[in-house]
């Protein structure tokens, strides 16, 4: 699959549910309306849809959400998709999780062929963790991290940089992650969906964070890539890797290799644009994959050049109405 700008599409993110057991302040409003259950694809349909993308050249799959591990029987899907690793059709099967259910599932994920996972963690302070997730328990996430380590999974921590909330804690989080052999990636908050607070009060440019970290640590750019949008540095003092995902301060769309499909079978060609293609109708219209394959090709043929994110006091509206938890992070 090649898009109109010549970018090969080899990476699919699948949001298996828009529901979550947390309500992170930058991600969701406290009172959310979720997609009606009747609109969801079954796990069998998600397997068929995802496998059609693998047949069309997707080499890397990330299962996400919402919180993917709260979807009932989700391990079945991981085991099914694991077959593509065995045939060599797929290079990597991975997931992004808030960690709350990992203690229960880490060993089984490893069993299904998952080797690396991203765990989102915005603070190491239990009270602050409760504040930012509204409903989360840091102890459970830490237990999840331990279980993932014990299962031999390679972990990357994802931290959304938030002004006045965790900016002073970033050096400590870096030392913690690297001390535990985990990579750390910092993310700029993106204007996706209505939340209760004001994003201009949360937004912290990573250019500022990097400059500050540079006063304390020796950061050297390295060409390391994981297939996602992060740019990495190596930190001399810790020997670990630190990634920066900078949708606001440094646009990375020119190298975009990704598309996203939601739990209702909607394909989004860009996280930051409204345009989408319905794949549920062609998926259900016949048992063969021809209609589906045509619908995917047609959609990839209109993948936009990039997002137009802005966070400032004049721009009150989010870039797109849907939350990150719908499209999948
Ligand atoms: N629930 C899982 C988790 O938190 O890891 C997976 C889905 S979550 C939407 C994926 C990632 O998106 C998380 O790292 C989260 O911090 C990040 N995220 C959510 N809303 C965001 C926003 N508005 N801007 C930037 N990152 C966001
Ligand atoms: Fe849930 Fe992840 Fe969104 Fe937090 S960032 S509310 S854990 S989907």
């Amino acid at each position: 699959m090649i898009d109109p700008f010549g970018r090969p599409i080899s990476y699919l993110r699948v949001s298996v549910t828009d529901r979550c057991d947390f309500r992170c302040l930058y991600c969701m409003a406290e009172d959310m309306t979720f997609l009606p259950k009747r609109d969801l694809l079954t796990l069998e349909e998600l397997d068929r849809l995802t496998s059609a993308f693998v047949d069309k050249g997707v080499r890397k799959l990330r299962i996400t959400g919402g919180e993917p591990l709260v979807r009932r029987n989700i391990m079945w899907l991981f085991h099914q998709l694991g077959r593509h690793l065995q045939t060599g059709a797929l290079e990597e099967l991975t997931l992004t999780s808030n960690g709350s259910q990992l203690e229960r599932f880490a060993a089984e994920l490893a069993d299904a062929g998952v080797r690396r996972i991203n765990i989102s963690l915005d603070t190491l302070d239990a009270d602050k963790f409760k504040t930012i997730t509204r409903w989360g328990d840091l102890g459970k996430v830490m237990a999840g991290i331990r279980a993932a380590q014990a299962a031999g999974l390679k972990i990357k921590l994802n931290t959304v940089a938030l002004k006045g909330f965790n900016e002073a804690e970033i050096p400590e989080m870096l030392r913690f992650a690297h001390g535990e052999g985990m990579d750390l990636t910092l993310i700029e908050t993106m204007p996706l969906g209505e939340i209760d607070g004001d994003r201009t009060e949360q937004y912290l440019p990573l250019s500022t964070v990097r400059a500050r970290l540079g006063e304390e640590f020796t950061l050297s750019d390295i060409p390391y890539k994981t297939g996602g949008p992060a740019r990495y540095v190596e930190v001399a003092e810790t020997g670990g890797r630190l990634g920066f995902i900078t949708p606001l301060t440094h646009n990375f769309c020119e190298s975009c290799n990704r598309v996203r499909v939601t739990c209702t079978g909607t394909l989004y060609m860009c996280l930051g644009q409204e345009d989408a293609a319905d794949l549920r109708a062609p998926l259900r219209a016949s048992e063969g994959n021809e209609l589906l394959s045509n619908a995917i090709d047609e959609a990839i043929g209109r993948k936009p050049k990039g997002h137009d994110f802005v966070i400032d006091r004049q721009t009150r509206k989010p870039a797109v109405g849907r939350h990150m938890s719908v499209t999948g992070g």
Side-chain angles (χ1 to χ4, degrees):
M1 294 179 284
I2 309 273
D3 84 353
F5 302 94
R7 297 170 296 191
I9 306 304
S10 57
Y11 184 179
L12 178 69
R13 297 193 180 186
V14 186
S15 173
V16 294
T17 177
D18 63 328
R19 289 163 199 254
C20 188
D21 52 350
F22 291 2
R23 289 287 180 280
C24 301
L25 291 175
Y26 52 83
C27 179
M28 293 192 183
E30 181 151 29
D31 186 17
M32 291 285 288
T33 307
F34 292 108
L35 295 163
K37 286 220 164 108
R38 63 172 182 279
D39 289 350
L40 299 197
L41 297 185
T42 63
L43 291 177
E44 288 80 2
E45 286 173 325
L46 278 171
D47 177 30
R48 202 182 130 208
L49 179 58
T50 306
S51 300
F53 276 94
V54 175
D55 288 344
K56 292 178 75 64
V58 158
R59 304 283 294 155
K60 177 169 172 173
L61 268 181
R62 177 174 298 282
I63 306 300
T64 176
E67 175 49 38
L69 298 181
V70 303
R71 175 130 186 200
R72 196 141 47 106
N73 213 12
I74 192 65
M75 283 304 130
W76 179 87
L77 183 65
F78 278 99
H79 283 291
Q80 284 299 113
L81 295 174
R83 74 186 182 279
H84 299 302
L85 295 168
Q86 281 159 17
T87 63
L90 197 62
E91 261 164 38
E92 184 169 46
L93 172 62
T94 179
L95 83 151
T96 304
S97 171
N98 66 22
S100 67
Q101 313 292 318
L102 261 182
E103 194 175 15
R104 189 147 60 103
F105 290 123
E108 221 182 324
L109 286 166
D111 207 39
V114 172
R115 295 289 169 260
R116 289 193 317 133
I117 62 170
N118 289 358
I119 301 177
S120 304
L121 184 65
D122 299 322
T123 173
L124 295 170
D125 178 291
D127 292 335
K128 282 169 75 178
F129 189 81
K130 184 108 227 161
T131 304
I132 196 72
T133 60
R134 289 194 184 101
W135 297 358
D137 173 352
L138 181 64
K140 269 197 183 162
V141 174
M142 286 299 176
I145 291 177
R146 300 283 169 240
Q149 286 172 324
L153 298 174
K154 194 103 189 72
I155 302 170
K156 178 162 80 80
L157 293 185
N158 277 349
T159 302
V160 178
L162 296 162
K163 188 158 66 178
F165 177 77
N166 60 6
E167 53 181 310
E169 220 190 320
I170 290 174
E172 189 192 337
M173 296 196 66
L174 181 78
R175 284 194 201 91
F176 165 73
H178 290 179
E180 296 278 337
M182 304 185 280
D183 288 348
L184 175 71
T185 293
L186 303 174
I187 307 174
E188 283 173 346
T189 182
M190 291 174 254
L192 304 171
E194 293 289 351
I195 54 170
D196 297 326
D198 180 347
R199 287 194 196 275
T200 48
E201 278 163 22
Q202 300 177 340
Y203 171 54
L204 176 61
L206 286 182
S207 43
T208 310
V209 175
R210 184 176 169 151
R212 268 193 229 139
L213 284 173
E215 292 167 11
E216 195 175 338
F217 298 96
T218 318
L219 312 177
S220 326
D221 290 312
I222 50 171
Y224 178 73
K225 279 271 160 210
T226 60
R231 285 174 300 136
Y232 283 89
V233 297
E234 195 169 75
V235 183
E237 288 75 5
T238 61
R241 274 188 299 249
L242 172 66
F244 296 91
I245 300 186
T246 54
L248 279 297
T249 55
H250 180 275
N251 187 297
F252 41 67
C253 302
E254 73 278 3
S255 60
C256 185
N257 56 356
R258 300 173 284 291
V259 290
R260 295 170 159 89
V261 70
T262 71
C263 55
T264 56
T266 307
L267 178 68
Y268 286 100
M269 289 71 84
C270 175
L271 178 65
Q273 300 287 353
E274 298 286 3
D275 189 26
D278 172 39
L279 299 181
R280 188 177 51 184
L283 179 79
R284 289 182 175 170
S286 76
E287 280 183 14
N289 279 354
E290 200 183 325
L291 291 176
L292 177 61
S293 176
N294 292 345
I296 294 171
D297 288 341
E298 199 265 331
I300 300 289
R302 50 174 217 268
K303 182 170 158 69
K305 195 165 182 196
H307 62 245
D308 311 296
F309 291 146
V310 184
I311 296 183
D312 62 21
R313 298 213 173 267
Q314 285 75 47
T315 315
R316 287 282 170 198
K317 273 177 71 64
V320 294
R322 57 184 197 279
H323 294 87
M324 183 95 154
S325 47
V326 172
T327 330

